[in-house]
Amino acid sequence: MEIWINPACSKCRSAISLLDAEGAEYTVRRYLEDVPSEDEIREVLDRLGLEPWDITRTQEAAAKELGLKDWARDDSSRDRWIAALASHPKLIQRPIITADDGSAVVARTEDAVRDVLKKS
């Protein structure tokens, strides 16, 4: 499994602590440094069963600068949102865990992390 993190994020640190406590095998991706491509974001969204606006941190300064709150949230706007996430990775909600079974979860709660651990 892989976990996308920002080391400065308390939710990310909590998720890693829980993975470590459970002895889980995982790789860490510091997605602000190793920025996911648009295709990787599409794949993760498919695995999550979510749309790009569902994993966008709309309170970030970059979101406000881009005017994201006014962007359409429909199929015709999906690529625009994905491009924004790839160009401004700080907008991506975190942490995101991609499990070996093909699923993924936005692991902001202990329960979400435990759900992934059950599948692995």
Side-chain angles (χ1 to χ4, degrees):
M1 98 178 65
E2 181 176 80
I3 182 168
W4 292 7
I5 68 156
N6 172 353
C9 167
S10 63
K11 300 275 186 195
C12 294
R13 292 191 306 269
S14 293
I16 285 184
S17 292
L18 183 53
L19 292 173
D20 288 344
E22 296 294 326
E25 289 186 29
Y26 62 92
T27 41
V28 170
R29 180 170 187 170
R30 294 178 179 218
Y31 70 93
L32 298 178
E33 299 162 17
D34 182 7
V35 179
S37 68
E38 290 183 26
D39 286 340
E40 287 175 305
I41 292 169
R42 279 186 191 87
E43 180 187 337
V44 165
L45 287 167
D46 289 346
R47 292 173 77 168
L48 287 167
L50 297 173
E51 293 298 334
W53 45 86
D54 296 327
I55 65 161
T56 300
R57 298 172 55 84
T58 56
Q59 300 306 313
E60 290 289 336
K64 292 176 180 170
E65 289 169 21
L66 293 169
L68 288 182
K69 71 178 181 121
D70 298 324
W71 287 16
R73 296 178 181 213
D74 57 26
D75 283 346
S76 66
S77 302
R78 191 171 199 263
D79 287 342
R80 182 181 186 198
W81 281 86
I82 290 169
L85 292 173
S87 297
H88 305 277
K90 197 168 190 177
L91 295 176
I92 299 172
Q93 189 59 264
R94 61 196 183 241
I96 294 176
I97 298 175
T98 54
D100 296 336
D101 71 350
S103 66
V105 66
V106 179
R108 295 191 56 77
T109 66
E110 190 173 302
D111 287 343
V113 176
R114 290 193 187 285
D115 285 346
V116 171
L117 288 169
K118 289 177 193 168
K119 296 177 182 179
S120 295

